[in-house]
């Protein structure tokens, strides 16, 4: 089998492709304090879909959910979406080697539309962009990454997952892919037990270095 043709590289988006996790942490911290009177919700919602967040932390609170959604939509229109250092060079190198790559994100399509307005080139950087609407179970379930493998005809042995959140890393490991943790949101020490390798960012990282990694 031609492993390059069947190889898939799956990127989470926030904290992996763009540096947004700190901004989201501030937002959810404010929502948690305002609506629930708790000050640690931000760490518990990282890597989760909005549906999961509402079902888990705001069940039955339809009025509050609507208010939060409105606030979130406004917030995302004003966010900055700075690329993680080295990620664009790494993506270019993957394309040079004809590797199939996808964004696999818990964000919904409405959020991604806000991203496209700032970075329209995002759509051309990836072969597929898989959003929250496309899979039933939220991370840490592996559904999203299994879907990524399916669309590219890849297997866990030929798939690499890049994640930063605890739930995302758990989902990657559950998919049985090779999982590389990005220490952009959490410390190297905290994410190391949840992945096979840890990177600070993508600076100097290449296709050749990737293919030397094994579970």
């Amino acid at each position: 089998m031609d492993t390059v043709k069947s190889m898939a590289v799956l990127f989470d988006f926030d904290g992996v492709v763009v540096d947004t996790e700190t901004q989201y942490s501030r937002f959810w911290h404010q929502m948690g304090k305002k609506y629930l009177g708790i000050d640690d919700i931000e760490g518990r919602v990282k890597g989760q879909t909005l549906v999961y967040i509402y079902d888990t932390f705001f069940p039955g609170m339809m009025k509050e959910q609507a208010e939060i959604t409105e606030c979130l939509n406004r917030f995302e229109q004003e966010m900055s979406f700075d690329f993680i250092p080295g990620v664009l060079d790494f993506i270019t190198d993957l394309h040079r080697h004809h590797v199939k790559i996808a964004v696999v994100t818990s964000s919904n399509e409405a959020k991604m539309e806000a991203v496209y307005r700032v970075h329209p080139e995002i759509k051309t950087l990836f072969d597929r962009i898989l959003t929250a609407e496309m899979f039933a179970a939220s991370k840490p379930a592996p559904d999203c990454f299994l879907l990524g493998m399916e669309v590219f005809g890849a297997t866990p042995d030929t798939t690499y997952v890049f994640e930063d959140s605890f739930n995302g890393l758990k989902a990657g490991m559950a998919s049985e892919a090779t999982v590389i943790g990005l220490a952009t949101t959490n410390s190297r020490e905290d994410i190391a037990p949840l992945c096979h390798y840890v990177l600070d960012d993508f600076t100097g990282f290449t296709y050749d270095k990737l293919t030397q990694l094994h579970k």
Side-chain angles (χ1 to χ4, degrees), residues 18-81:
V18 293
D19 184 12
T20 53
E21 287 291 14
T22 301
Q23 298 172 75
Y24 276 119
S25 290
R26 290 197 299 268
F27 175 85
W28 285 111
H29 182 79
Q30 293 171 356
M31 295 301 103
K33 290 187 68 173
K34 179 177 180 179
Y35 291 103
L36 302 176
I38 62 176
D39 60 6
D40 65 345
I41 192 174
E42 61 271 21
R44 296 151 70 183
V45 302
K46 287 184 186 297
Q48 300 290 11
T49 64
L50 191 58
V51 171
Y52 175 91
I53 293 170
Y54 286 162
D55 288 347
T56 304
F57 298 100
F58 302 90
M61 301 170 64
M62 306 311 294
K63 177 176 178 290
E64 291 83 356
Q65 290 180 20
E67 291 176 357
I68 293 170
T69 298
E70 184 179 350
C71 289
L72 181 60
N73 288 339
R74 289 200 305 268
F75 179 78
E76 289 177 338
Q77 300 306 312
E78 300 171 358
M79 286 180 69
S80 61
F81 297 102

Side-chain angles (χ1 to χ4, degrees), residues 191-207:
I191 67 174
L194 300 175
C195 57
H196 298 109
Y197 301 93
V198 178
L199 298 176
D200 292 322
D201 56 36
F202 292 98
T203 302
F205 198 66
T206 63
Y207 166 84

Side-chain angles (χ1 to χ4, degrees), residues 8 10 104 139-150 154-163 167-180 194 196 215:
L10 309 178
V104 180
K139 302 170 185 177
D143 298 37
C144 57
F145 295 122
L146 295 176
L147 176 62
M149 295 179 203
E150 181 182 340
T155 65
D157 288 340
T158 60
T159 300
Y160 298 84
V161 166
F162 288 89
E163 265 286 0
N167 286 320
L169 292 165
K170 291 174 183 176
M173 293 295 279
S175 77
E176 300 186 351
T178 299
V179 180
I180 300 95
L194 300 175
H196 298 109
K215 288 181 285 186

Side-chain angles (χ1 to χ4, degrees), residues 3-20:
T3 56
V4 173
K5 287 185 178 179
S6 62
M7 182 177 172
V9 177
L10 309 178
F11 295 83
D12 178 41
F13 192 68
D14 295 288
V16 174
V17 177
V18 293
D19 184 12
T20 53

